Amino acid sequence: GDVAGHGLEATRQMGAIRSMLRTLSASLDGEPRAVIGRARELFRPVCGDDVPFTTVLICRVGITDGLTKVVSAGHPPPVLGTRDGRPRLVTIDPVPPLGVPCDLDAAPIELTLHAGEWLALFTDGVFERRDLPLDLAITSAMSAIAGAPTAHEVLAAGESASALNPDDRAVIIVERLPVGRTAARPARTPTS
């Protein structure tokens, strides 16, 4: 998720929203559609009127079969990395962000994450730039990670991409490993 605003107050609000989403996820069996629906109802009671909106992307990945459900409330779509090294944006119809009145139900999309594939979830700070419109900035970021077949290589490639606010970037990458391969834990950096 990504709360509107910057600074200490935005950080505090994101902590409250993160706690709410984790609690809802645990109580609703991690079902993305149900979590977004309930979070929409609880947003104002939890956050008050200080936060205009928060974008959220929720994914549920099946550990054994790779079946993945994705729901977006105004958040940028995830990137799917396939074994051929050609990442693509996942096509998804988002509902408005949390905090924006909406009667729409968040319909999840489903995809299967196969062995050797990865899914990257990120905040808009990863591709936000002053010198390019949003669609071209996303295209530029996608070019930076093209040919990076593993999650570790995606993080390394992403480090070279410029962002407007280096402290406003967050990336989560889920990689489904081939049988017999164990994950190497990449070092955390200030921008990942």
Coordinates of all heavy atoms in Angstrom, one line a residue, residues 73-132:
A73 N -6.8 -1.5 -5.3 CA -7.6 -0.3 -4.9 C -6.8 0.9 -5.3 O -6.1 1.5 -4.4 CB -8.0 -0.3 -3.5
G74 N -6.7 1.2 -6.6 CA -6.0 2.4 -7.0 C -4.5 2.3 -7.1 O -3.8 3.2 -7.4
H75 N -3.9 1.1 -6.8 CA -2.5 0.9 -6.8 C -2.0 0.5 -8.1 O -2.7 -0.2 -8.9 CB -2.2 -0.2 -5.7 CG -0.8 -0.1 -5.2 ND1 -0.4 0.8 -4.3 CD2 0.3 -0.8 -5.5 CE1 0.9 0.7 -4.0 NE2 1.3 -0.3 -4.7
P76 N -0.7 0.8 -8.4 CA -0.1 0.4 -9.7 C -0.2 -1.2 -9.8 O -0.1 -1.9 -8.8 CB 1.3 0.8 -9.7 CG 1.3 2.0 -8.7 CD 0.3 1.6 -7.7
P77 N -0.4 -1.7 -11.1 CA -0.5 -3.1 -11.2 C 0.9 -3.8 -11.0 O 1.9 -3.2 -11.1 CB -0.9 -3.3 -12.7 CG -0.4 -2.0 -13.4 CD -0.5 -0.9 -12.3
P78 N 0.9 -5.1 -10.6 CA 2.1 -5.8 -10.4 C 2.8 -6.1 -11.7 O 2.1 -6.0 -12.8 CB 1.7 -7.0 -9.7 CG 0.3 -7.2 -10.0 CD -0.3 -5.9 -10.3
V79 N 4.0 -6.5 -11.7 CA 4.8 -6.9 -12.9 C 5.0 -8.4 -12.7 O 5.4 -8.9 -11.7 CB 6.1 -6.2 -13.0 CG1 7.0 -6.7 -14.1 CG2 5.9 -4.7 -13.1
L80 N 4.7 -9.1 -13.8 CA 4.9 -10.6 -13.8 C 6.2 -10.8 -14.7 O 6.3 -10.4 -15.8 CB 3.7 -11.3 -14.5 CG 3.9 -12.8 -14.7 CD1 4.0 -13.5 -13.4 CD2 2.7 -13.3 -15.5
G81 N 7.1 -11.5 -14.1 CA 8.3 -11.9 -14.7 C 8.3 -13.4 -15.1 O 8.1 -14.2 -14.3
T82 N 8.4 -13.6 -16.4 CA 8.3 -15.0 -16.9 C 9.8 -15.5 -17.1 O 10.7 -14.8 -17.1 CB 7.5 -15.1 -18.2 OG1 8.1 -14.2 -19.1 CG2 6.1 -14.7 -17.9
R83 N 9.8 -16.8 -17.4 CA 11.1 -17.4 -17.6 C 11.9 -16.9 -18.8 O 13.1 -17.1 -18.9 CB 11.0 -19.0 -17.6 CG 10.6 -19.5 -16.3 CD 10.2 -20.9 -16.3 NE 8.9 -21.0 -16.9 CZ 8.1 -22.1 -16.8 NH1 8.5 -23.2 -16.3 NH2 6.9 -22.0 -17.3
D84 N 11.2 -16.3 -19.8 CA 11.8 -15.8 -21.0 C 12.5 -14.4 -20.7 O 13.1 -13.9 -21.6 CB 10.9 -15.7 -22.1 CG 9.7 -14.8 -21.9 OD1 9.7 -14.0 -20.9 OD2 8.8 -14.7 -22.8
G85 N 12.4 -13.9 -19.5 CA 13.0 -12.6 -19.2 C 12.3 -11.4 -19.7 O 12.9 -10.3 -19.8
R86 N 11.0 -11.6 -20.1 CA 10.2 -10.4 -20.6 C 9.1 -10.1 -19.6 O 8.0 -10.7 -19.7 CB 9.6 -10.8 -22.0 CG 10.6 -10.8 -23.1 CD 9.9 -10.9 -24.4 NE 10.7 -11.8 -25.2 CZ 10.3 -12.6 -26.2 NH1 9.0 -12.7 -26.4 NH2 11.1 -13.3 -26.9
P87 N 9.4 -9.2 -18.7 CA 8.4 -8.8 -17.7 C 7.2 -8.1 -18.4 O 7.4 -7.5 -19.4 CB 9.1 -7.9 -16.8 CG 10.2 -7.3 -17.5 CD 10.6 -8.4 -18.6
R88 N 6.0 -8.3 -17.8 CA 4.8 -7.5 -18.3 C 4.0 -7.1 -17.2 O 3.9 -7.7 -16.1 CB 4.0 -8.4 -19.3 CG 3.4 -9.6 -18.6 CD 2.5 -10.4 -19.6 NE 2.0 -11.6 -19.0 CZ 0.9 -11.6 -18.3 NH1 0.2 -10.6 -18.0 NH2 0.4 -12.8 -17.8
L89 N 3.3 -5.9 -17.4 CA 2.4 -5.5 -16.4 C 1.2 -6.4 -16.4 O 0.7 -6.8 -17.5 CB 1.9 -4.0 -16.7 CG 2.9 -2.9 -16.4 CD1 2.4 -1.6 -17.0 CD2 3.2 -2.8 -14.9
V90 N 0.7 -6.7 -15.2 CA -0.5 -7.5 -15.1 C -1.7 -6.6 -15.4 O -1.8 -5.6 -14.8 CB -0.6 -8.2 -13.7 CG1 -1.9 -8.9 -13.6 CG2 0.6 -9.1 -13.5
T91 N -2.6 -7.0 -16.3 CA -3.8 -6.2 -16.6 C -4.8 -6.4 -15.5 O -5.2 -7.6 -15.1 CB -4.4 -6.7 -17.9 OG1 -3.4 -6.5 -18.9 CG2 -5.6 -5.8 -18.3
I92 N -5.2 -5.3 -14.8 CA -6.2 -5.4 -13.7 C -7.0 -4.1 -13.7 O -6.6 -3.1 -14.1 CB -5.4 -5.5 -12.4 CG1 -6.3 -5.8 -11.2 CG2 -4.5 -4.4 -12.1 CD1 -5.7 -6.2 -10.0
D93 N -8.3 -4.3 -13.4 CA -9.2 -3.1 -13.3 C -9.3 -2.8 -11.8 O -10.0 -3.4 -11.0 CB -10.6 -3.5 -13.8 CG -10.7 -3.6 -15.3 OD1 -9.9 -2.8 -15.9 OD2 -11.5 -4.4 -15.8
P94 N -8.6 -1.7 -11.4 CA -8.6 -1.3 -10.0 C -9.9 -0.6 -9.6 O -10.6 0.0 -10.5 CB -7.4 -0.4 -9.9 CG -7.3 0.2 -11.2 CD -7.7 -0.8 -12.2
V95 N -10.3 -0.7 -8.4 CA -11.4 0.1 -7.8 C -10.7 1.3 -7.3 O -9.4 1.3 -7.2 CB -12.2 -0.6 -6.8 CG1 -13.0 -1.8 -7.4 CG2 -11.4 -1.1 -5.6
P96 N -11.4 2.4 -7.0 CA -10.7 3.6 -6.4 C -10.0 3.3 -5.1 O -10.3 2.3 -4.4 CB -11.9 4.6 -6.1 CG -12.9 4.2 -7.1 CD -12.8 2.7 -7.2
P97 N -9.0 4.1 -4.7 CA -8.3 3.9 -3.5 C -9.2 3.9 -2.3 O -10.3 4.4 -2.3 CB -7.3 5.1 -3.4 CG -7.2 5.6 -4.9 CD -8.6 5.3 -5.5
L98 N -8.7 3.3 -1.2 CA -9.4 3.3 0.1 C -9.5 4.8 0.5 O -8.6 5.6 0.3 CB -8.6 2.6 1.2 CG -8.3 1.1 0.9 CD1 -7.5 0.5 2.1 CD2 -9.5 0.3 0.6
G99 N -10.6 5.2 1.0 CA -10.9 6.5 1.4 C -11.7 7.3 0.4 O -12.2 8.4 0.7
V100 N -11.8 6.8 -0.8 CA -12.6 7.4 -1.9 C -13.9 6.6 -1.9 O -13.9 5.4 -2.1 CB -11.9 7.3 -3.3 CG1 -12.8 7.8 -4.4 CG2 -10.5 8.1 -3.2
P101 N -15.0 7.3 -1.7 CA -16.3 6.7 -1.7 C -16.5 5.9 -3.0 O -16.2 6.4 -4.1 CB -17.3 7.8 -1.6 CG -16.6 8.9 -1.0 CD -15.2 8.8 -1.5
C102 N -17.0 4.6 -2.9 CA -17.1 3.8 -4.0 C -18.1 2.6 -3.7 O -18.0 2.0 -2.6 CB -15.8 3.2 -4.4 SG -15.7 1.9 -5.6
D103 N -19.0 2.3 -4.6 CA -19.9 1.2 -4.5 C -19.4 0.0 -5.3 O -20.1 -1.0 -5.3 CB -21.3 1.6 -4.9 CG -21.9 2.6 -4.0 OD1 -21.6 2.6 -2.8 OD2 -22.8 3.4 -4.4
L104 N -18.3 0.1 -6.0 CA -17.8 -1.0 -6.8 C -17.2 -2.1 -6.0 O -16.6 -1.8 -4.9 CB -16.7 -0.5 -7.8 CG -17.2 0.6 -8.8 CD1 -15.9 1.1 -9.6 CD2 -18.2 0.0 -9.8
D105 N -17.4 -3.3 -6.4 CA -16.8 -4.5 -5.7 C -15.5 -4.8 -6.4 O -15.4 -4.8 -7.6 CB -17.8 -5.7 -5.8 CG -17.3 -6.8 -5.0 OD1 -16.5 -6.6 -4.0 OD2 -17.7 -8.0 -5.3
A106 N -14.4 -5.0 -5.6 CA -13.1 -5.3 -6.2 C -13.1 -6.7 -6.7 O -13.1 -7.6 -6.0 CB -12.1 -5.1 -5.1
A107 N -13.1 -6.8 -8.0 CA -13.0 -8.2 -8.7 C -11.6 -8.6 -8.8 O -10.8 -7.9 -9.5 CB -13.8 -8.1 -10.0
P108 N -11.2 -9.7 -8.3 CA -9.8 -10.2 -8.4 C -9.6 -10.7 -9.8 O -10.5 -11.2 -10.5 CB -9.7 -11.3 -7.4 CG -11.1 -11.8 -7.2 CD -12.0 -10.7 -7.5
I109 N -8.3 -10.6 -10.2 CA -7.9 -11.3 -11.4 C -7.1 -12.5 -10.9 O -6.6 -12.5 -9.8 CB -7.0 -10.5 -12.4 CG1 -5.8 -10.0 -11.7 CG2 -7.8 -9.3 -12.9 CD1 -4.5 -10.4 -12.3
E110 N -7.0 -13.6 -11.7 CA -6.3 -14.8 -11.3 C -5.3 -15.1 -12.3 O -5.5 -14.9 -13.5 CB -7.2 -16.0 -11.1 CG -8.2 -15.9 -9.9 CD -9.0 -17.1 -9.7 OE1 -8.9 -18.1 -10.5 OE2 -9.8 -17.1 -8.8
L111 N -4.1 -15.5 -11.8 CA -3.0 -15.9 -12.7 C -2.3 -17.0 -12.0 O -2.5 -17.2 -10.8 CB -2.1 -14.8 -13.1 CG -1.4 -14.0 -12.0 CD1 0.0 -14.6 -11.7 CD2 -1.3 -12.6 -12.4
T112 N -1.5 -17.8 -12.7 CA -0.7 -18.9 -12.1 C 0.8 -18.5 -12.2 O 1.3 -18.2 -13.3 CB -0.9 -20.2 -12.8 OG1 -2.3 -20.5 -12.7 CG2 -0.1 -21.3 -12.1
L113 N 1.4 -18.5 -11.0 CA 2.9 -18.2 -11.0 C 3.6 -19.5 -11.1 O 3.5 -20.4 -10.2 CB 3.2 -17.5 -9.6 CG 4.5 -16.8 -9.5 CD1 4.6 -15.7 -10.5 CD2 4.6 -16.2 -8.1
H114 N 4.2 -19.8 -12.2 CA 4.9 -21.0 -12.5 C 6.3 -21.0 -11.9 O 6.9 -19.9 -11.6 CB 5.0 -21.3 -14.0 CG 3.6 -21.4 -14.6 ND1 2.8 -22.5 -14.5 CD2 2.9 -20.5 -15.4 CE1 1.7 -22.3 -15.2 NE2 1.7 -21.1 -15.7
A115 N 6.9 -22.2 -11.7 CA 8.3 -22.3 -11.2 C 9.2 -21.4 -12.1 O 9.1 -21.5 -13.3 CB 8.7 -23.7 -11.2
G116 N 10.0 -20.6 -11.4 CA 11.0 -19.7 -12.1 C 10.4 -18.4 -12.5 O 11.1 -17.5 -13.0
E117 N 9.1 -18.1 -12.1 CA 8.5 -16.8 -12.4 C 8.4 -16.0 -11.1 O 8.5 -16.6 -10.0 CB 7.1 -17.0 -13.0 CG 7.2 -17.7 -14.4 CD 5.8 -17.8 -15.0 OE1 4.8 -17.8 -14.3 OE2 5.8 -18.0 -16.3
W118 N 8.3 -14.7 -11.3 CA 8.2 -13.8 -10.1 C 7.1 -12.8 -10.4 O 6.7 -12.5 -11.5 CB 9.5 -13.2 -9.8 CG 10.2 -12.5 -11.0 CD1 11.1 -13.1 -11.8 CD2 9.9 -11.2 -11.5 NE1 11.5 -12.2 -12.8 CE2 10.8 -11.1 -12.6 CE3 9.1 -10.2 -11.2 CZ2 10.8 -9.9 -13.4 CZ3 9.1 -9.0 -11.9 CH2 10.0 -8.9 -13.0
L119 N 6.6 -12.2 -9.3 CA 5.6 -11.2 -9.3 C 6.2 -10.0 -8.4 O 6.5 -10.3 -7.3 CB 4.3 -11.7 -8.7 CG 3.1 -10.9 -8.9 CD1 2.8 -10.8 -10.4 CD2 1.9 -11.4 -8.2
A120 N 6.3 -8.8 -9.0 CA 6.8 -7.7 -8.3 C 5.6 -6.7 -8.0 O 4.9 -6.3 -8.9 CB 7.9 -7.0 -9.1
L121 N 5.5 -6.3 -6.7 CA 4.6 -5.3 -6.3 C 5.4 -4.1 -5.8 O 6.4 -4.3 -5.2 CB 3.7 -5.9 -5.1 CG 2.8 -7.0 -5.4 CD1 3.5 -8.3 -5.5 CD2 1.8 -7.2 -4.3
F122 N 4.9 -2.9 -6.1 CA 5.8 -1.8 -5.9 C 4.9 -0.5 -5.7 O 3.8 -0.5 -6.1 CB 6.7 -1.5 -7.0 CG 6.1 -1.5 -8.4 CD1 5.6 -0.3 -8.9 CD2 5.9 -2.7 -9.1 CE1 4.9 -0.3 -10.1 CE2 5.2 -2.7 -10.3 CZ 4.8 -1.5 -10.8
T123 N 5.5 0.5 -5.0 CA 4.9 1.8 -4.9 C 5.2 2.6 -6.1 O 6.2 2.4 -6.8 CB 5.3 2.5 -3.6 OG1 6.7 2.7 -3.6 CG2 4.9 1.7 -2.4
D124 N 4.4 3.7 -6.3 CA 4.7 4.6 -7.5 C 6.0 5.3 -7.4 O 6.5 5.8 -8.4 CB 3.5 5.5 -7.7 CG 3.3 6.5 -6.5 OD1 4.1 6.4 -5.5 OD2 2.4 7.3 -6.6
G125 N 6.6 5.4 -6.2 CA 7.9 6.0 -6.1 C 9.0 5.3 -6.9 O 10.1 5.8 -7.2
V126 N 8.8 4.0 -7.3 CA 9.7 3.2 -8.1 C 9.9 3.8 -9.5 O 11.0 3.8 -10.0 CB 9.3 1.8 -8.1 CG1 10.1 1.0 -9.1 CG2 9.4 1.1 -6.7
F127 N 8.8 4.3 -10.0 CA 8.9 4.8 -11.4 C 8.6 6.3 -11.6 O 8.6 6.8 -12.7 CB 8.0 4.0 -12.3 CG 6.6 3.9 -11.9 CD1 5.7 4.9 -12.1 CD2 6.1 2.8 -11.2 CE1 4.4 4.9 -11.7 CE2 4.8 2.7 -10.8 CZ 3.9 3.8 -11.0
E128 N 8.2 7.0 -10.5 CA 7.8 8.4 -10.6 C 9.0 9.2 -11.0 O 10.1 9.2 -10.4 CB 7.3 8.8 -9.2 CG 6.6 10.1 -9.1 CD 6.0 10.3 -7.7 OE1 6.8 10.0 -6.7 OE2 4.9 10.8 -7.6
R129 N 8.8 10.1 -12.0 CA 9.9 10.9 -12.5 C 9.3 12.3 -12.9 O 8.2 12.4 -13.3 CB 10.6 10.3 -13.7 CG 11.3 9.0 -13.3 CD 11.8 8.3 -14.5 NE 12.7 9.1 -15.3 CZ 13.5 8.7 -16.3 NH1 13.6 7.4 -16.5 NH2 14.2 9.5 -17.0
R130 N 10.1 13.3 -12.8 CA 9.7 14.7 -13.2 C 9.8 14.9 -14.7 O 9.1 15.7 -15.3 CB 10.6 15.7 -12.5 CG 10.2 15.9 -11.1 CD 10.8 17.2 -10.5 NE 10.3 17.5 -9.2 CZ 11.1 17.4 -8.1 NH1 12.3 17.1 -8.2 NH2 10.5 17.6 -6.9
D131 N 10.7 14.1 -15.3 CA 11.0 14.4 -16.7 C 10.2 13.5 -17.7 O 10.3 13.7 -18.9 CB 12.5 14.1 -17.0 CG 12.9 12.7 -16.7 OD1 12.3 12.0 -15.9 OD2 13.9 12.2 -17.3
L132 N 9.3 12.7 -17.2 CA 8.5 11.8 -18.1 C 7.1 11.7 -17.6 O 6.8 11.7 -16.4 CB 9.1 10.4 -18.1 CG 10.4 10.1 -18.8 CD1 10.8 8.7 -18.6 CD2 10.3 10.4 -20.3

